């Protein structure tokens, strides 16, 4: 909750950070997004768990099952689910799957 309230209290700063993350992502740099994700994890562990880590763990079986099927599969998630130690790529790798990207 603190992170949400901070964003409301400092909208210009939040807008600047979001722009930096978007530009970094578009250029193939995950650093700004990873920094933002880890900042959320440190500043609000409960919110991070609910918004990122727990959701990724709930989705893991379903996504792994989709990848077992023949053909191409598209899974759409927010970019925050693609970086960090609790990310979907990291969790899929623990299952022995090969993941390209972050």
């Amino acid at each position: 909750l603190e992170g949400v309230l901070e964003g409301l209290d400092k909208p210009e700063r939040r807008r600047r950070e979001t722009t930096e993350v978007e530009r970094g992502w578009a250029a193939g740099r995950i650093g700004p997004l990873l920094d933002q994700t880890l900042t959320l994890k440190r500043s609000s562990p409960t919110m991070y768990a609910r918004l990122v880590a727990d959701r990724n763990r709930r989705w893991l079986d379903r996504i792994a099952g989709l990848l077992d099927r023949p053909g191409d599969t598209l899974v759409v998630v927010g970019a925050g689910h693609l970086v960090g130690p609790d990310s979907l790529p990291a969790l899929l790798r623990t299952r022995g799957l090969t993941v390209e990207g972050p």
Side-chain angles (χ1 to χ4, degrees):
L1 184 59
E2 301 110 38
V4 171
L5 294 177
E6 183 178 322
L8 294 174
D9 289 343
K10 302 173 184 172
E12 188 54 40
R13 177 178 162 206
R14 187 73 177 143
R15 198 173 2 258
R16 212 173 33 253
E17 289 171 354
T18 299
T19 300
E20 180 182 338
V21 167
E22 289 170 351
R23 285 186 181 149
W25 186 259
R29 293 188 320 270
I30 65 167
L33 178 59
L34 180 59
D35 290 345
Q36 190 177 66
T37 302
L38 295 177
T39 296
L40 175 62
K41 185 175 183 176
R42 279 190 306 274
S43 66
S44 184
T46 301
M47 181 180 285
Y48 171 82
R50 287 183 182 160
L51 295 178
V52 180
D54 294 349
R55 292 169 81 192
N56 289 346
R57 281 190 282 278
R58 281 196 312 269
W59 295 338
L60 184 59
D61 287 337
R62 177 79 171 137
I63 292 171
L66 291 170
L67 295 173
D68 278 340
R69 299 190 323 201
D72 295 332
T73 301
L74 173 66
V75 177
V76 179
V77 298
H81 295 280
L82 300 175
V83 298
D86 303 301
S87 69
L88 285 168
L91 294 173
L92 289 166
R93 287 181 183 112
T94 66
R95 294 272 180 105
L97 295 166
T98 301
V99 179
E100 295 179 22

